[in-house]
Amino acid sequence: MEAITFAEAWSNLVLLGPEIWQACLETALMLGIGLSAAVLLGGPLGVWLYLAQPGQILANRFVAGLLGWLVNLVRSFPFIILMVSLVPLTRLIVGSTIGPVAAAVPLSFAAIPYFARLVEQTLREVPRGVVEAAEAMGASPLQIVFKVLLREARAGLVNALTILTISFLSYSAVAGVVGGGGIGDLAIRYGYYRFQSEVMLAMVLLLVVVVQIIQLGGNYLAARLDKR
Amino acid sequence: MIHLNNVSKRFRHPDGGWFDAVRATTLSIAEGEIFGLIGFSGAGKSTLLRLINLLERPEAGAVLVDGQDLTRLSASELRRARQNIGMVFQQFNLLANRTVAENVAFPLEIAGWNRADIALRVAECLEVVGLTDRAEHYPAQLSGGQKQRVGIARALAPRPKVILADEPTSALDPKTTQSVLQCLADINARFGVTIVLVTHEMGVVRAICQRAALLDGGSVVEVMDVKQGEVQALSSAARDMLEAA
């Protein structure tokens, strides 16, 4: 491979501009679906997992064991294997196995238990006494969840979502390789298969910047929400 | 106002054995009284207090508060009954992400009050405990004594007939202790709220209680009168324990 000048590299990237933009949109779509599923399904699952622990308000050894086992089961799959094994399900739900929407199915599948575990861990930081005070005041389990647990843990929950987003940004790159599209896919196709290292480099730099922005944004929001 | 009828409670040790926290105990607390539960640590005084609002459910016996046997209520009936029983904690247990005013509003939100009534009642209660100027602060910005006064305002907000106070001054210095006790005594005098107070300090009993039960090993040794700041123990067992304390 011959070295190219900076000017040549830049003009290659400019030529790829529309495709890079397209890849960004695909990544955003995959992440958007995956994270929404994680929050909407994994969030409640995490709350339930927490409440079912011994000593909590919905303590149930059987439920806690079953939910914990399920979460661990899905989380123990290497992502690429999860993706391949979910191909039939993906085809059933989306009607296709390629494209960002199809890739979002295994992403969601992986993100739901991941976020559930993060939520459960975060809720453990809420002091037991505060929950007990709410019980003593006659709060119902739903009121305890929304008015006490989620509110008291809100900064930690933002941190959990930040971790989830960054992890799944890189998972989405893996999903891209098997036909999902997105930034990771673009980096592999041009940077690896066509030996255009400048594309690989540019995509990695782009991801570095995006990760920094997500982390800074998450930290800022968590600090604003934390009054402890 | 409160009748504990033969209540008992035991806990399981991690090693499988049982610990009798409260042995069959009968106790009556009159309306408008400030009643102390005193004893060494492990005597069962906190457990006994927590039996009154069923934070601990007794193995046997009846818990009557304001004529209602709490042990016979359904979960939702018990929640409604608890709105009539305020509670104050040693560690305050305020909601850290809510302002002082929002903390006091919390039991009212739970009880389904409307916004306008909540705002009025919160202002009243903060006035009673002298924290009107701290309404928009967060608990982390307050001193220990101020936090406990927020805890008292919160307990008072739903106009309860009973307030249970679990070691309310044990995390506070002596001077702050006096102001918090004064605050409780005020509330008792102004609103006729029955107060049950757990403490390990005789000074607290002498300062504000009219009667106090001395507990040891999960049983009541004696229910003592407090007159002119002096605890009147009749039994020798009680006198021996008070000497030791």
Side-chain angles (χ1 to χ4, degrees):
Chain A
M1 189 179 87
E2 279 179 39
I4 56 168
T5 66
F6 181 77
E8 284 170 322
W10 181 251
S11 74
N12 284 346
L13 284 174
V14 171
L15 274 176
L16 276 178
E19 240 183 293
I20 294 175
W21 178 239
Q22 180 65 29
C24 290
L25 291 180
E26 286 167 357
T27 295
L29 183 60
M30 280 189 275
L31 269 184
I33 297 173
L35 296 181
S36 306
V39 171
L40 294 177
L41 299 172
L45 181 61
V47 171
W48 195 14
L49 193 54
Y50 170 79
L51 293 179
Q53 300 300 314
Q56 302 302 334
I57 53 175
L58 300 180
N60 184 321
R61 195 181 294 226
F62 176 74
V63 171
L66 181 70
L67 293 180
W69 183 81
L70 269 177
V71 163
N72 290 346
L73 177 76
V74 180
R75 289 194 63 205
S76 45
F77 273 76
F79 181 60
I80 191 126
I81 296 174
L82 184 72
M83 205 160 53
V84 175
S85 31
L86 286 177
V87 161
L89 182 70
T90 305
R91 186 172 285 127
L92 193 73
I93 296 175
V94 186
S96 154
T97 58
I98 50 172
V101 178
V105 173
L107 271 176
S108 305
F109 233 80
I112 288 167
Y114 193 108
F115 191 58
R117 191 58 88 189
L118 287 173
V119 167
E120 185 229 347
Q121 297 294 327
T122 305
L123 294 183
R124 283 173 191 241
E125 288 166 27
V126 177
R128 182 75 185 98
V130 176
V131 175
E132 199 173 84
E135 280 186 277
M137 286 182 255
S140 67
L142 267 184
Q143 287 171 325
I144 290 176
V145 168
F146 286 101
K147 287 176 180 284
V148 179
L149 290 173
L150 295 183
R151 180 143 181 178
E152 288 297 283
R154 62 189 183 183
L157 291 172
V158 167
N159 286 332
L161 191 59
T162 307
I163 292 173
L164 181 81
T165 307
I166 291 173
S167 302
F168 278 78
L169 186 58
S170 64
Y171 277 32
S172 77
V174 178
V177 178
V178 293
I183 298 174
D185 173 50
L186 190 82
I188 292 285
R189 275 192 290 129
Y190 286 87
Y192 186 67
Y193 295 136
R194 297 191 198 174
F195 302 107
Q196 284 182 271
S197 304
E198 72 276 14
V199 179
M200 176 81 81
L201 186 65
M203 291 305 102
V204 171
L205 283 177
L206 180 63
L207 287 173
V208 168
V209 171
V210 170
V211 167
Q212 299 294 344
I213 290 173
I214 293 171
Q215 188 65 56
L216 282 174
N219 289 352
Y220 173 77
L221 190 60
R224 281 286 303 271
L225 289 175
D226 197 356
K227 308 292 183 187
R228 285 175 291 177
Chain B
M1 174 57 60
I2 300 168
H3 297 283
L4 299 176
N5 203 345
N6 254 319
V7 289
S8 59
K9 177 72 188 177
R10 47 187 205 164
F11 295 109
R12 204 170 189 119
H13 274 308
D15 62 20
W18 291 93
F19 169 67
D20 289 297
V22 173
R23 296 166 200 269
T25 295
T26 298
L27 197 63
S28 285
I29 296 168
E31 186 167 0
E33 184 170 38
I34 303 184
F35 191 95
L37 298 174
I38 188 161
F40 297 117
S41 49
K45 50 197 191 301
S46 277
T47 306
L48 192 59
L49 185 81
R50 292 158 59 87
L51 285 169
I52 297 174
N53 63 357
L54 245 57
L55 274 185
E56 306 290 354
R57 196 168 268 279
E59 261 91 49
V63 177
L64 280 94
V65 178
D66 200 14
Q68 208 175 18
D69 184 354
L70 301 189
T71 61
R72 291 170 181 275
L73 300 182
S74 70
S76 68
E77 288 169 333
L78 176 61
R79 287 200 287 271
R80 218 165 310 123
R82 279 175 171 170
Q83 289 166 11
N84 203 19
I85 309 173
M87 193 162 191
V88 177
F89 301 85
Q90 179 176 5
Q91 295 303 329
F92 325 124
N93 292 345
L94 301 177
L95 293 148
N97 284 335
R98 280 178 170 245
T99 63
V100 165
E102 288 169 339
N103 264 285
V104 178
F106 184 76
L108 305 178
E109 287 173 22
I110 284 173
W113 289 37
N114 73 45
R115 263 168 196 278
D117 291 345
I118 291 179
L120 279 174
R121 182 62 183 158
V122 167
E124 271 172 30
C125 291
L126 288 178
E127 173 95 59
V128 169
V129 301
L131 285 175
T132 304
D133 57 333
R134 293 283 187 271
E136 298 311 315
H137 285 57
Y138 285 92
Q141 298 166 300
L142 304 179
S143 70
Q146 289 172 331
K147 283 182 199 169
Q148 195 56 296
R149 281 189 280 151
V150 176
I152 293 170
R154 179 175 72 172
L156 180 68
R159 300 198 172 91
K161 294 204 166 159
V162 173
I163 289 181
L164 308 177
D166 193 357
E167 302 264 10
T169 59
S170 300
L172 306 174
D173 62 58
K175 198 170 157 230
T176 318
T177 293
Q178 286 313 311
S179 82
V180 165
L181 291 178
Q182 194 51 53
C183 185
L184 285 170
D186 265 6
I187 284 169
N188 170 259
R190 282 177 67 180
F191 309 108
V193 185
T194 308
I195 297 178
V196 187
L197 185 147
V198 163
T199 181
H200 60 270
E201 292 169 287
M202 280 309 288
V204 171
V205 172
R206 280 197 289 263
I208 64 167
C209 292
Q210 282 120 42
R211 288 197 303 153
L214 178 66
L215 279 96
D216 186 38
S219 305
V220 174
V221 178
E222 186 182 337
V223 177
M224 308 166 296
D225 284 328
V226 185
K227 290 198 176 117
Q228 278 113 38
E230 281 309 315
V231 181
Q232 330 247 296
L234 300 177
S235 68
S236 57
R239 268 188 236 151
D240 288 349
M241 283 187 64
L242 294 181
E243 298 257 316

